[in-house]
């Protein structure tokens, strides 16, 4: 189905987006070199002999040798040559793949290559189908017949022209020698399978809706755009940058830290659910577990960000903060997050609650930030917007990151949970057990149910605890809307 | 025959083209100077730093699940935070929510348009967002009731002037970030449908975006048909960094897990790594034998592996530090259009134009 509305139809002129075509052509030309190319043979079709016929396995072997790739990759490359229409199969002509056996293929004539500057448009297709109809009535396949009927309807105004062209081509075809005619018919058929693929055929010409930019056009940059560009460059030049050794060192450090936590690099304990069909790994790591796993607890120590992102870790942090009577920083941070990511309509109500709870003089959970930030924040709350608490939130976060977080890691609360944490034993399933697991995959709990449970929990803690659980109050305001 | 130009207009025209040429020269000079500044701090290559890191072993990654149910090309997919559910969208307008672990289909929605190129799962797990040729992004709240018609509660959130290429929820269900063929990205309030911030700067279709996983959570990166990858400040709408080293359209961008770098995949058959703190490209992942475009990229949990889905139906796995390819995976019968690693890194899922999705581990 082509989208005909306001989309540009640049057809063939758009091919520069297919950067691969030029490289493919170079290879295809080399493959046909009589000395160093693929060795071909002839095929006998009834009385006719078709020259230059190649076996799939020979083509794939040539590619593997030339590009120095293993056979599977060469096979993929071979399939792409067929999918782009540079090579076509003689048997099973609707499957645009290369088979690594004695199946036969021919090289497509350059006239029909995808880089040619003419579009495979509907008029040409109509002429082709009409010509086949003239030759033998009822020879069209069902999908071709459907196309034909559709084209007959919407190209009706030039149908006489189409029939005339078809007749001319049919007559010209009859003048050719039989082998040439057979070859040309195969080539033409292959071209149309590629450009009007039947339903189950995967053709590389089938590439989806066009992108709007025309890569052939030079970018016309206006006066204003240049001005803006130059300003951007100036700012970029002045922006502070870090030495490569420092920033790349940080990337390597990150990888080394998380190496044992990456399921692709180190095995999950007890086992990767996708590999053994047993979801214990997920149940052990749920949001609300009493006792977390050792790996999970270790991960909390990597950064404050990790600790806070894992809600179970955040809970443990809160236990510590309660003991220290310094829970207001985290509470403020949570409230600020709720404001930043919440709905636009709830912002004023939230801003007011935050002011009353954390910022007003004598507030029940007054946070200790420097006078300047406090002043700016309170002023901004007159006209609250999403980022009004940004400065205060950053200050509080940095405080927690540089001080509270490290004290937490050294605290009895953390040491205690480290001791209690589980270290599940690796699963060792026999093939029979694995079969069993595959039959009995657990459905788990639906996220909607988990969400509802969590909301109820929040509401309960909000009602029961004092001082006020600000986060719960925030979500309540959101839910009321 | 043109009438002779009026003298003042002629001088004006000449002045304008002189200034334009002047600006262009200034632009080229500044660009050169920026490259100089970047090069001054470039004291080591990534693979040199990586020499001390031990090599990777052999990988055995197999297809663990094949999800069949779409009747046409799968264009996009996203994971739910529960690490097992996914949402996928296809060319025929169908959006399906699956429990990929059991392979059960849980919800299905039919969009009123074809080519649903973008879909996303809400952080709460209670809704999905999708859009495509309808130029909009719509949010569908999910329901536990199998018989409920999800289309009834559909909410139209984003409105662009051309196709929607990508969408993502921010840290909550209440805001959505979108990118479009009209060359802009935009941040929307879900409840009211109001435009909160728009991001202008790409000279052509924007094809992909990704939100930064940082503690501030205020930036995102986008890639477009103008071969540029831009980093944006969500508060001000300004483009704060820009990288133009690809030779063709950028189909996919994804942040490195620490948020200090990002990878991109392009039609020029390469994946590239950009370091945000050093403000430069630091690695190119390519091979002579790989000539078909990359449609989608994602990192493993630690950032050591980069997975790329390609238009030649394969998946290439790259060692991010050493720059070598560690594995190539076969299985799909048409181009791989989308690839995402699961939230806990235990698997990755690919969607393909062969109508199926596969989970690999």
């Amino acid at each position: 189905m082509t989208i005909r509305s306001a989309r540009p139809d640049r057809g063939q002129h758009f091919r520069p987006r297919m950067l691969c075509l030029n490289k493919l052509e170079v290879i295809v030309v080399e493959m046909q070199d009589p000395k160093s190319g693929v060795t071909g043979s002839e095929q006998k079709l009834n009385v006719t002999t078709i020259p230059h016929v190649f076996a799939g396995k020979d083509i794939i072997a040539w590619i593997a040798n030339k590009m120095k790739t293993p056979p599977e990759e060469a096979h993929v490359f071979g399939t792409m040559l067929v999918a782009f229409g540079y090579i076509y199969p003689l048997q099973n002509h609707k499957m645009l793949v290369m088979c690594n056996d004695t199946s036969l293929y021919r090289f497509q004539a350059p006239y029909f290559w995808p880089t040619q500057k003419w579009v495979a448009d509907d008029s040409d297709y109509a002429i082709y189908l009409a010509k086949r109809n003239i030759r033998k009535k009822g020879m069209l396949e069902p999908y071709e017949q459907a196309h034909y009927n559709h084209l007959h309807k919407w190209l009706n105004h030039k149908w006489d022209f189409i029939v005339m062209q078809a007749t001319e081509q049919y007559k010209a075809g009859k003048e050719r020698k039989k082998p040439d005619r057979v070859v040309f018919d195969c080539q033409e058929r292959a071209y149309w399978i590629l450009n009007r693929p039947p339903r189950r055929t995967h053709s590389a010409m089938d590439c989806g809706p066009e992108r709007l930019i025309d890569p052939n056009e030079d970018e016309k940059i206006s006066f204003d755009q240049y001005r803006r560009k130059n300003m951007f460059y100036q700012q970029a030049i002045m922006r502070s940058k870090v030495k490569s050794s420092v920033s790349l060192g940080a990337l390597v450090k990150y990888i080394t830290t998380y190496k044992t936590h990456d399921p692709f690099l180190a095995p999950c304990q007890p086992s990767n659910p996708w590999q053994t069909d047993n979801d214990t790994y997920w149940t052990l790591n749920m949001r609300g577990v009493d006792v977390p796993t050792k790996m999970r607890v270790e991960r909390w120590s990597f950064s404050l960000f990790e600790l806070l992102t894992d809600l179970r870790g955040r809970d443990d942090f809160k236990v510590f903060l309660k003991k220290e009577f310094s829970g207001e920083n985290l509470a403020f941070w949570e409230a600020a997050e709720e404001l930043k990511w919440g709905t636009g309509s709830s912002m004023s109500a939230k801003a007011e609650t935050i002011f009353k709870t954390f910022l007003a003089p004598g507030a029940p959970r007054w946070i200790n930030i420097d006078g300047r930030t406090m002043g700016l924040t309170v002023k901004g709350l007159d006209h609250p917007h999403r980022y009004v608490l940004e400065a205060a939130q950053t200050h509080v976060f940095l405080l927690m990151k540089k001080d509270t977080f490290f004290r937490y890691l050294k605290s009895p609360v953390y040491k205690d949970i480290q001791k209690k944490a589980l270290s599940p034993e690796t699963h060792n399933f026999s093939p029979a057990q694995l079969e069993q697991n595959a039959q009995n995959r657990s459905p788990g709990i639906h996220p909607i149910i988990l969400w509802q449970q969590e909301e109820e929990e929040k509401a309960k803690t909000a009602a029961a605890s004092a001082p006020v659980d600000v986060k719960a109050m925030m979500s309540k305001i959101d839910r009321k809307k | 025959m043109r009438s002779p130009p009026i003298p003042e207009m002629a001088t004006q025209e000449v002045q304008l083209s002189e200034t334009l040429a002047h600006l262009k020269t200034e632009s080229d000079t500044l660009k050169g100077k920026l490259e100089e500044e970047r090069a001054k701090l470039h004291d080591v290559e990534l693979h040199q730093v990586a020499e001390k890191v031990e090599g990777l072993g052999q990988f055995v990654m197999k297809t663990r699940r094949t999800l069949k149910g779409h009747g046409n090309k799968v264009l996009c997919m996203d994971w739910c935070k529960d690490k097992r559910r996914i949402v996928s969208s296809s060319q025929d307008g169908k959006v399906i929510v699956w429990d990929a672990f059991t392979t059960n289909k849980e919800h299905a929605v039919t969009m009123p348009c074809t080519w649903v190129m973008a879909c996303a799962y809400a952080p709460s797990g209670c809704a999905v967002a999708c859009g495509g040729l309808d130029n909009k992004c719509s949010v569908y709240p999910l329901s536990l009731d199998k018989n409920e018609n999800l289309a009834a509660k559909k909410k139209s959130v984003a409105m662009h002037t051309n196709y929607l290429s990508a969408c993502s929820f921010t840290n909550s269900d209440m805001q959505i970030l979108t990118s479009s063929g009209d060359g802009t990205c935009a941040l929307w309030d879900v409840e009211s449908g109001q435009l909160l911030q728009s991001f202008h700067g790409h000279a052509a279709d924007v094809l992909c975006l990704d939100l930064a996983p940082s503690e501030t959570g205020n930036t995102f990166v986008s890639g477009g048909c103008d071969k540029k990858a831009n980093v944006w400040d969500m508060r001000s709408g300004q483009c704060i960094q820009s990288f133009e080293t690809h030779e063709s359209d950028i189909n996919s961008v994804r942040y490195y897990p620490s948020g200090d770098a990002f990878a991109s995949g392009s039609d020029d058959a390469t994946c590239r790594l950009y370091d945000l703190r050093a403000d430069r490209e630091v690695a190119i992942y390519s091979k002579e034998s790989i000539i078909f475009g990359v449609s989608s990229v994602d990192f493993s949990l630690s950032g050591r592996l980069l997975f790329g889905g390609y238009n030649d139906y394969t998946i290439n796995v790259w060692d991010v530090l050493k720059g070598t390819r560690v594995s190539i995976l076969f299985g799909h019968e048409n181009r791989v259009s989308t690839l995402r690693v699961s939230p806990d890194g235990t698997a990755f899922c690919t969607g393909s134009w062969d109508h199926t999705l596969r989970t690999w581990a």
Side-chain angles (χ1 to χ4, degrees), chain B residues 28-328:
Chain B
D28 292 332
T29 324
L30 283 173
K31 191 167 180 200
K33 191 143 184 264
L34 178 60
E35 290 308 313
E36 260 180 56
E37 290 294 313
R38 283 173 168 168
K40 274 188 202 164
L41 292 168
H42 187 57
D43 53 349
V44 73
E45 296 286 339
L46 180 59
H47 63 85
Q48 287 173 299
V49 177
E51 263 161 33
K52 311 175 211 137
V53 183
E54 67 184 47
L56 294 168
Q58 279 290 2
F59 285 95
V60 180
M61 281 179 239
K62 294 199 281 187
T63 302
R64 303 290 173 171
R65 303 283 189 278
T66 306
L67 303 175
K68 298 193 188 166
H70 276 293
N72 219 313
K73 306 180 175 68
V74 177
L75 304 175
C76 186
M77 62 82 46
D78 191 18
W79 286 91
C80 175
K81 287 223 158 72
D82 77 346
K83 311 150 192 170
R84 48 187 289 170
R85 282 175 172 74
I86 63 171
V87 61
S88 60
S89 63
S90 84
Q91 180 192 347
D92 60 4
K94 284 248 172 21
V95 175
I96 302 180
V97 175
W98 319 67
D99 176 355
F101 189 64
T102 57
T103 71
N104 291 337
K105 293 190 213 26
E106 297 195 335
H107 309 270
V109 170
T110 309
M111 292 277 284
C113 69
T114 56
W115 289 95
V116 186
M117 297 180 255
C119 64
Y121 221 120
S124 68
C126 301
V128 293
C130 50
L133 285 186
D134 57 349
N135 302 358
K136 297 194 218 143
C137 185
S138 313
V139 175
Y140 290 84
L142 299 174
S143 160
L144 289 169
D145 178 1
K146 298 268 169 191
N147 295 323
E148 186 168 336
N149 179 14
L150 295 179
K153 294 218 188 103
K154 165 181 163 178
K155 194 182 284 191
S156 239
V157 175
M159 292 264 269
H160 279 280
T161 52
N162 225 303
Y163 67 88
L164 191 85
S165 53
C167 65
S168 173
F169 283 90
T170 60
N171 284 6
S172 77
D173 289 13
M174 323 288 183
Q175 288 167 26
I176 288 194
L177 191 61
T178 59
S179 67
S180 162
D182 66 11
T184 68
C185 300
L187 181 66
W188 309 83
D189 179 286
V190 173
E191 189 201 38
S192 62
Q194 193 194 12
L195 173 67
L196 299 173
Q197 182 67 259
S198 67
F199 306 88
H200 297 261
H202 277 288
D205 321 32
V206 186
L207 298 177
C208 49
L209 58 84
D210 191 33
L211 279 150
S214 72
E215 47 216 31
T216 43
N218 283 339
T219 58
F220 72 95
V221 62
S222 67
C225 287
D226 55 358
K227 310 173 202 165
K228 288 211 201 104
N230 290 340
V231 181
W232 306 86
D233 180 340
M234 278 168 75
R235 288 174 298 174
S236 60
Q238 293 298 318
C239 172
I240 48 184
Q241 278 173 285
S242 183
F243 304 90
E244 192 176 1
T245 59
H246 270 294
E247 293 165 21
S248 186
D249 305 356
I250 299 178
N251 296 314
S252 175
V253 285
R254 193 73 63 210
Y255 268 97
Y256 187 80
S258 72
D260 289 329
F262 70 90
S264 60
S266 158
D267 273 340
D268 67 6
T270 66
C271 301
R272 293 170 198 241
L273 185 69
Y274 298 91
D275 183 333
L276 291 170
R277 293 164 71 202
D279 195 29
R280 58 180 300 127
E281 171 194 283
V282 293
I284 305 181
Y285 306 101
S286 69
K287 251 177 162 254
E288 279 254 359
S289 56
I290 300 178
I291 69 172
F292 301 97
V294 188
S295 64
S296 194
V297 295
D298 204 354
F299 285 99
S300 70
L301 189 139
S302 65
R304 182 69 191 268
L305 300 174
L306 180 68
F307 301 101
Y310 287 70
N311 290 347
D312 65 355
Y313 319 174
T314 65
I315 297 149
N316 286 293
V317 185
W318 301 91
D319 180 334
V320 171
L321 295 181
K322 302 207 187 255
T324 54
R325 184 187 63 191
V326 293
S327 191
I328 177 170

Side-chain angles (χ1 to χ4, degrees), chain A residues 332-401:
Chain A
F332 174 73
W333 182 86
E334 283 186 327
E337 286 284 287
E338 291 272 325
L339 179 80
K340 199 157 62 163
W341 305 114
T343 63
S345 52
S346 63
M347 268 197 314
S348 321
K350 285 182 184 172
E352 217 186 295
T353 319
I354 291 179
F355 177 74
K356 282 202 207 128
T357 319
F358 299 100
L359 302 168
R365 304 195 81 179
W366 192 78
I367 54 163
N368 196 352
I369 54 177
D370 68 283
R372 190 169 170 275
T373 315
M374 179 66 91
L376 281 168
T377 311
V378 172
K379 193 158 172 227
L381 282 170
D382 277 339
H383 303 280
H385 58 89
R386 214 157 287 278
Y387 301 104
V388 67
L389 298 173
E390 193 76 1
Q393 192 184 0
T394 316
H395 181 107
V396 159
F397 188 84
L398 281 174
L399 207 75
M400 287 196 290
K401 186 173 167 179

Side-chain angles (χ1 to χ4, degrees), chain A residues 205-211, chain B residues 73 115 335 353:
Chain A
M205 284 296 118
D206 188 10
C207 52
E210 289 291 9
R211 292 170 185 175
Chain B
K73 306 180 175 68
W115 289 95
R335 72 163 76 169
W353 282 16

